[in-house]
Amino acid sequence: EVQLLESGGGLVQPGGSVRLACAASGFTFSSYAVTWVRQAPGKGLEWVSSIGGSGSTTRYADSVKGRFTISRDNSKNTLNLQMNSLRAEDTAVYYCAKGVTKWLQPPDHFDYWGQGTLVTVSS
Amino acid sequence: QSVLTQPPSASGTPGQRVTISCSGSSSNIGSNTVNWYQHLPGAAPKLLIYSNNLRPSGVPDRFSGSKSGTSASLAISGLQSEDDSDYYCAAWDDSLNGPLFGGGTKLTVL
């Protein structure tokens, strides 16, 4: 059974940092791209960042480029998101989602999602 | 960041058929396939439709998807109380170089 379990969320001050993790199980982790998607309070889903199966290819939404860094450890089946210079508008539930190919290219969709971890940026 | 355009709300009574629209542009729906997700607040989003009209294993055939030009639709027939949820369309966007989501539609089963 495929499982994705996010952790690391919490309350952080504006300008601060936090590191999210997503523990994956039930599939060959290195064979698939994985992605972070967030949902701000009362808002819709927003793509944040994706990483290819080998970890050599990454992509970011403009809203987080230069502040967030996505990485993966295929030996530990773990996806990470280092979030720096946090702003109030980064407050959201962050979900990790599994792609269906190793590469970051269309056509693609997310066949499994975690339940999310809440990051609140506030003083 | 632009989003795909969905109606914010939709409703129907049990047994009815409802459709949810999703409007995009040539850089997303017009040139890539559309996926639909069901999301109950507090739960993990669930893939409902992929590649415009394909259902993952376990998704009832009451759910169907279609695409024409730069628009797509999700249809739910034989509406059931458990369909009361949020629904999001998504498509790869060539300008964004990543997936683009719709704003979401809250479906209420009356």
Side-chain angles (χ1 to χ4, degrees), chain B residues 14 20 23-24 33 35 38 50-51 58 60 64 79 96:
Chain B
I20 297 172
S23 178
T33 58
N35 310 306
Q38 180 187 53
Y50 67 99
S51 296
S64 62
L79 204 58
L96 181 65

Side-chain angles (χ1 to χ4, degrees), chain A residues 73-108:
Chain A
D73 185 337
N74 287 343
S75 68
K76 297 180 179 178
N77 291 353
T78 300
L79 171 70
N80 300 296
L81 186 68
Q82 178 66 41
M83 305 166 61
N84 298 331
S85 303
L86 283 163
R87 307 165 180 167
E89 54 264 36
D90 295 318
T91 295
V93 175
Y94 286 74
Y95 299 95
C96 64
K98 172 187 169 291
V100 295
T101 67
K102 192 171 185 176
W103 313 108
L104 301 177
Q105 63 185 29
D108 198 6

Side-chain angles (χ1 to χ4, degrees), chain B residues 14-108:
Chain B
Q16 272 191 331
R17 181 179 187 271
V18 297
T19 61
I20 297 172
S21 62
C22 175
S23 178
S25 68
S26 58
S27 66
N28 41 69
I29 294 178
S31 53
N32 295 293
T33 58
V34 179
N35 310 306
W36 291 89
Y37 301 92
Q38 180 187 53
H39 186 209
L40 275 166
K46 174 186 174 183
L47 178 66
L48 214 54
I49 297 287
Y50 67 99
S51 296
N52 300 330
N53 56 13
L54 301 179
R55 286 185 309 276
S57 172
V59 173
D61 59 6
R62 301 187 296 104
F63 294 90
S64 62
S66 64
K67 172 187 145 177
S68 178
T70 59
S71 295
S73 291
L74 172 71
I76 309 172
S77 60
L79 204 58
Q80 298 181 3
S81 57
E82 60 255 38
D83 300 332
D84 195 301
S85 185
D86 297 330
Y87 294 86
Y88 292 88
C89 60
W92 186 273
D93 187 277
D94 296 332
S95 300
L96 181 65
N97 206 17
L100 187 63
F101 289 90
T105 297
K106 177 168 179 54
L107 174 64
T108 301

